[in-house]
Amino acid sequence: RTEAQLDAVAALLEGSASLPGLEVDTDLRWSLISALSAGGRQSPQQLQAALGSDSTAKGKSSWYTAQAARPTAEAKAEAFEQILSGTLSNDNHGAVIAGFNMVHDPQLISGYTERYFASILKKWTGLSHEMAKQIVVGLYPSQEVSQATIERTDQFLQELGEQHPALRRLLLESRA
């Protein structure tokens, strides 16, 4: 999160620093890229170049994470819309959710609570179980640790009643 920490991550990615026994393989490379992206250290062009050097399905999912991790309101809005669109594969859907939640400043995603609660029932009943579960759990406003989040969750659960017991359970677990 700090400049020094991001410098260390960048050095590992570039190969100008190493750690004994640590091999920067493809998966670790993408983890470093995503961390740098969340820290504002990867431009869209750099992310596109990284994807160009790893056009595998795993590389594409990792690229989605890095894209969604960018620390801008625009990137978070784009990611949120992609998540709700229902057009991504299960893997890429989960990757965008992971990137959306990679924030150094929780304020970047704090404005999504109402949109989350306004959309989850429709997504729960309209998407596959796996995609809906990813949304319900992955987008739950857990970074907004507040009484207001708990109250909003309770309100939603009260409105839901006894319908959709699996959705209820996921929300109760997230609330806890």
Side-chain angles (χ1 to χ4, degrees), residues 70-151:
R70 292 175 296 142
T72 65
E74 296 79 18
K76 298 306 179 184
E78 180 182 320
F80 196 84
E81 292 307 316
Q82 278 184 317
I83 293 163
L84 295 183
S85 73
T87 60
L88 298 168
S89 69
N90 283 1
D91 289 340
N92 293 341
H93 190 252
V96 175
I97 290 171
F100 177 82
N101 285 309
M102 288 180 74
V103 292
H104 294 195
D105 177 7
Q107 291 299 320
L108 270 174
I109 60 173
S110 67
Y112 289 91
T113 300
E114 279 309 312
R115 291 179 66 193
Y116 167 81
F117 283 108
S119 65
I120 58 173
L121 184 56
K122 181 179 179 185
K123 297 304 171 186
W124 185 258
T125 59
L127 295 174
S128 71
H129 176 74
E130 182 58 32
M131 298 276 276
K133 181 181 174 183
Q134 286 180 5
I135 289 173
V136 171
V137 174
L139 290 183
Y140 183 81
S142 58
Q143 297 211 33
E144 262 190 88
V145 180
S146 70
Q147 188 61 37
T149 301
I150 290 173
E151 288 170 3

Side-chain angles (χ1 to χ4, degrees), residues 11-79:
L12 285 171
L13 178 64
E14 296 161 1
S16 61
S18 63
L19 296 172
L22 180 69
E23 177 189 340
V24 179
D25 62 8
T26 303
D27 288 340
L28 180 55
R29 181 177 162 274
W30 276 111
S31 292
L32 297 172
I33 289 169
S34 292
L36 290 169
S37 183
R41 296 271 194 104
Q42 290 283 293
S43 69
Q45 295 79 14
Q46 288 171 301
L47 296 176
Q48 197 62 42
L51 177 60
S53 67
D54 179 13
S55 59
T56 64
K58 177 77 169 143
K60 184 74 170 184
S61 286
S62 298
W63 175 81
Y64 272 111
T65 299
Q67 279 284 103
R70 292 175 296 142
T72 65
E74 296 79 18
K76 298 306 179 184
E78 180 182 320

